[in-house]
Amino acid sequence: MTPAPPTEQPQPNESGTRCVFVSDLHGSAERYRKLCYLIETERPAAVFLGGDLLPNHWAAALGGVDFILDDLGPAFRSLRSKMRSGYPRVFLILGNDDNRSSEQAFMDFDREGLWTYLHERWDKIGRHPVFGYSCVPPTPFQLKDWERYDVSRFTDPGCVSPEQGVRTVPVDVDSVRFGTITDDLDRLASGHDLEGAILLFHSPPYGTALDRAALDGRMVDHVPLDVHVGSIAIQRFIENVQPLATLHGHIHESPRITGAWRTGIGRTHCFSAAHDGPELAVVRFDPSDLPSATRELI
């Protein structure tokens, strides 16, 4: 997919660009209620939603669309009506638990200006380019709409190949068989200077404090499972390109296991809003002062 050009909208001043990042809301009415209240009261310049936004009933493909049309879209539309010019830029991607058959509904609300759908696209907030990418390496789960081989055609023990499982939209067989996250990111970044960019990912980078799964002591066919389940491609991409900041979710238990919701790869600040409790995990950050970023459970 060719990255879309940035939307022509008024941009906030560079100083004081307050941003909010959340992820993995999984259709929770209570988490979305808290998020909308936070947006209305704190009035950030930008809000980032890092995937796994829909209820966990992807097998009923229209269920996600109903949630978007009946709940999520109207909630943000009402928020925009109340906030008027104070309504923030909203950037979002989907995650591996979200059925891709709902993607068109998200894009319809994008055209309405309610939010910016960012998968394999880019836009801007102030002087900062913003890029989004939803796909994750192979998981043990059956839904494969947002799964890709990572750096090669390898599937970890206990995981299901992207060529198997279930998809809710038709796909090109060769793209599934031979495509990788590495290739996708190379295309997404082609021609861009990412030094000041913010990248919204669903998967965390491999081998960090952000991708630690609760797999200690687990084995499949006498092979120990890797407790780090993030993307090697994303880790290498950050290491090589060194964007300003990257935002991640996906591995709910990682902050609890490692005690860390942020890490650094070179000069890049990496934040996670994943959380395995009922609360909403909120990361607040300003691109001009990333060391002062905070995370709160509400």
Side-chain angles (χ1 to χ4, degrees):
M1 179 185 294
T2 302
T7 307
E8 292 299 326
Q9 297 189 23
Q11 301 291 343
N13 294 329
E14 170 60 20
S15 60
T17 305
R18 293 175 298 109
C19 301
V20 166
F21 168 48
V22 298
S23 186
D24 298 84
L25 280 72
H26 289 283
S28 166
E30 180 65 8
R31 291 188 189 121
Y32 277 110
R33 184 193 65 78
K34 291 176 179 178
L35 176 60
C36 288
Y37 179 78
L38 182 152
I39 293 171
E40 185 176 3
T41 55
E42 297 190 10
R43 304 175 76 84
V47 177
F48 296 84
L49 283 77
D52 279 2
L53 306 182
L54 303 179
N56 291 325
H57 50 50
W58 58 263
L62 293 179
V65 175
D66 290 343
F67 176 76
I68 301 163
L69 298 181
D70 297 339
D71 299 293
L72 189 58
F76 277 81
R77 188 184 284 137
S78 174
L79 193 61
R80 183 177 63 177
S81 178
K82 287 189 288 186
M83 296 182 67
R84 299 182 182 275
S85 62
Y87 185 71
R89 297 293 309 280
V90 178
F91 301 99
L92 61 80
I93 58 172
L94 301 182
N96 63 294
D97 255 5
D98 297 325
N99 49 288
R100 194 160 191 168
S101 57
S102 67
E103 182 180 39
Q104 186 58 53
F106 279 101
M107 297 178 75
D108 290 342
F109 280 114
D110 178 307
R111 282 190 286 273
E112 185 181 319
L114 204 58
W115 52 55
T116 300
Y117 178 69
L118 211 56
H119 173 62
E120 291 192 324
R121 300 177 175 213
W122 73 285
D123 209 296
K124 296 187 75 174
I125 179 72
R127 69 178 180 85
H128 299 286
V130 180
F131 295 77
Y133 185 73
S134 296
C135 296
V136 305
T139 74
F141 310 118
Q142 287 296 314
L143 181 63
K144 297 299 172 185
D145 280 342
W146 300 107
E147 294 193 14
R148 301 279 273 173
Y149 286 121
D150 196 20
V151 297
S152 67
R153 295 184 65 196
F154 173 76
T155 302
D156 278 311
C159 293
V160 177
S161 161
E163 298 173 56
Q164 301 174 341
V166 176
R167 293 180 183 268
T168 65
V169 296
V171 290
D172 177 72
V173 174
D174 284 344
S175 175
V176 172
R177 183 172 299 158
F178 301 112
T180 64
I181 293 176
T182 294
D183 293 339
D184 291 347
L185 294 181
D186 287 345
R187 283 192 298 271
L188 182 61
S190 179
H192 295 282
D193 179 0
L194 300 188
E195 182 177 354
I198 300 169
L199 276 66
L200 180 61
F201 292 110
H202 188 58
S203 175
Y206 176 80
T208 66
L210 309 186
D211 80 324
R212 181 65 161 76
L215 297 174
D216 303 76
R218 295 276 302 276
M219 303 184 74
V220 172
D221 295 332
H222 307 289
V223 177
L225 300 186
D226 191 345
V227 298
H228 290 281
V229 295
S231 168
I232 296 172
I234 289 175
Q235 189 275 334
R236 290 176 179 172
F237 182 81
I238 297 171
E239 192 172 62
N240 293 335
V241 175
Q242 293 286 274
L244 180 68
T246 60
L247 311 176
H248 310 271
H250 188 36
I251 310 304
H252 297 191
E253 68 270 31
S254 191
R256 172 177 53 81
I257 293 173
T258 67
W261 57 272
R262 65 188 301 166
T263 192
I265 299 178
R267 61 176 178 267
T268 300
H269 295 259
C270 308
F271 303 140
S272 173
H275 176 54
D276 62 352
E279 302 90 350
L280 175 69
V282 178
V283 175
R284 297 177 178 90
F285 69 96
D286 186 324
S288 65
D289 186 19
L290 291 173
S292 297
T294 62
R295 185 178 191 262
E296 180 185 13
L297 300 180
I298 61 176

